[in-house]
Amino acid sequence: MKYAKLGKTDIEVSKICLGGMSYGNPSDKFFLWTLDQPKTTEIIKKGLDLGCNFIDTANVYSCGESEQFIGKALKDLGVPRDKVVLASKVYCNEGHLAKEAILREIDGTLQRLGTDYLDLYYIHRYDYATPIGETLETLNSLVKAGKVRALGASAMFGYQFHNMMEVAAKNGWTQFSAMQNHYNLLYREDERELIPICKQYGVSLVPYSPLAGGHLTHPKWLSDSPRSATDKAMQVKYDHAKDNDQLIVDRVAEVAQKRDVSMAQVAISWLFAKGVTAPIIGATKPVHLDNAASAVDFVLTDEEVAYLEEPYAPHKIVGALARDERALAPSEQKDFNK
């Protein structure tokens, strides 16, 4: 495993991050393909054995069970707290990013994880209803209180992230160190504005859905996995562009065959070629983590990178909210369970 600093902090994270959206008892309230506690513990142990020290979750994942399962797994495995980097999120809750909501949600997250601090705390989306200053000042108070070491943001428009960074700088508040955005070979819209802004500020890219919900791991659009059959959120994110995106999937399969590696290795290596610090891998089987870890040392040529990118066509925005989420129709809220 290889490691890198998170933004401009001294926090060192593995180049592969374990995604907590896969953890929690299968349920109609969240997803039917998530892992129960024993399987969650098995996956976390596998990741730790491979050198992964970075675990990502959110208060909303499996209605809080993801955080609970991670906390129990680390306790049962006897992992010292300072040997793992824990990240969680706030927004998909009552009050979104208002002061009282953040202060309430951080305590719930810490209790479920069984820790007294987070290494990284993300805002899960941009809150149109809460003043930026209120959110940033409250987040800064968590850092000052020792409940949070660093801050991150997720899935928003470039101008929103820029404005938040500037407000934080102007007031001497803690700035964001990481951006968890939607980014993979099938979805590259953030290359227009958000990613250049992150690079301008020295913010690490920690993308979600690096394998496009599994589409970049097998030659056909769908597989026989439970997720492929039941994940409606994934269908909303990707099926609208599948005819064009299958062309990219075909090229990933072609390069993988020529280089005698898995398609996942090719897709993840492409992210590293684009400057990503640590893609979030939502593994449900140990082999998923083996493939991801192998990608850390697998390097695509410049010609291969260009070949993989060539069929890409512009996509509709999936991730960043165009307006206040509370005004959206239910069908437009699917991507919160990312």
Side-chain angles (χ1 to χ4, degrees), residues 137-215:
E137 185 174 20
T138 305
L139 293 172
N140 184 67
S141 74
L142 299 183
V143 177
K144 291 175 64 177
K147 290 186 175 182
V148 174
R149 294 178 66 196
L151 300 175
S154 179
M156 60 183 61
F157 293 104
Y159 80 91
Q160 295 169 336
F161 187 60
H162 175 270
N163 289 347
M164 296 189 88
M165 291 292 281
E166 288 300 306
V167 169
K170 181 179 179 180
N171 288 279
W173 297 328
T174 307
Q175 293 183 291
F176 297 113
S177 297
M179 169 56 68
Q180 185 175 144
N181 61 318
H182 183 198
Y183 191 41
N184 56 56
L185 268 166
L186 303 188
Y187 186 85
R188 295 167 47 200
E189 298 308 297
D190 285 350
E191 290 179 352
R192 302 172 188 271
E193 297 290 344
L194 183 60
I195 290 176
I197 290 171
C198 289
K199 292 181 178 180
Q200 173 186 332
Y201 286 108
V203 172
S204 291
L205 298 177
V206 187
Y208 71 87
S209 292
L211 299 174
H215 289 307

Side-chain angles (χ1 to χ4, degrees), residues 42-220:
E42 177 188 4
I43 288 293
I44 289 178
K45 183 179 185 304
K46 175 67 173 182
L48 294 170
D49 289 345
L50 289 171
C52 299
N53 72 342
F54 195 8
I55 303 176
D56 174 85
T57 184
N59 58 355
V60 71
Y61 293 167
S62 292
C63 305
E65 283 187 343
S66 174
E67 292 176 331
Q68 293 173 357
F69 284 16
I70 291 168
K72 187 176 189 307
L74 294 175
K75 180 180 179 180
D76 291 349
L77 293 170
V79 180
R81 178 64 185 86
D82 62 352
K83 298 301 181 183
V84 65
V85 177
L86 293 179
S88 194
K89 309 179 192 73
V90 60
Y91 175 89
C92 300
N93 44 257
E94 182 181 354
H96 290 316
L97 299 182
K99 178 179 179 180
E100 58 270 23
I102 293 174
L103 296 179
R104 178 190 68 240
E105 293 299 321
I106 185 62
D107 287 341
T109 284
L110 294 177
Q111 182 179 21
R112 288 187 290 271
L113 284 168
T115 183
D116 57 4
Y117 72 94
L118 279 182
D119 297 282
L120 179 61
Y121 201 30
Y122 288 100
I123 56 171
H124 212 153
R125 288 297 188 276
Y126 181 86
D127 187 355
Y128 286 87
T130 302
I132 289 175
E134 178 180 338
T135 295
L136 294 177
E137 185 174 20
T138 305
L139 293 172
N140 184 67
S141 74
L142 299 183
V143 177
K144 291 175 64 177
K147 290 186 175 182
V148 174
R149 294 178 66 196
L151 300 175
S154 179
M156 60 183 61
F157 293 104
Y159 80 91
Q160 295 169 336
F161 187 60
H162 175 270
N163 289 347
M164 296 189 88
M165 291 292 281
E166 288 300 306
V167 169
K170 181 179 179 180
N171 288 279
W173 297 328
T174 307
Q175 293 183 291
F176 297 113
S177 297
M179 169 56 68
Q180 185 175 144
N181 61 318
H182 183 198
Y183 191 41
N184 56 56
L185 268 166
L186 303 188
Y187 186 85
R188 295 167 47 200
E189 298 308 297
D190 285 350
E191 290 179 352
R192 302 172 188 271
E193 297 290 344
L194 183 60
I195 290 176
I197 290 171
C198 289
K199 292 181 178 180
Q200 173 186 332
Y201 286 108
V203 172
S204 291
L205 298 177
V206 187
Y208 71 87
S209 292
L211 299 174
H215 289 307
L216 291 168
T217 65
H218 40 74
K220 294 183 179 180

Side-chain angles (χ1 to χ4, degrees), residues 25 51 116 131 202 233 284:
N25 289 310
D116 57 4
T284 54

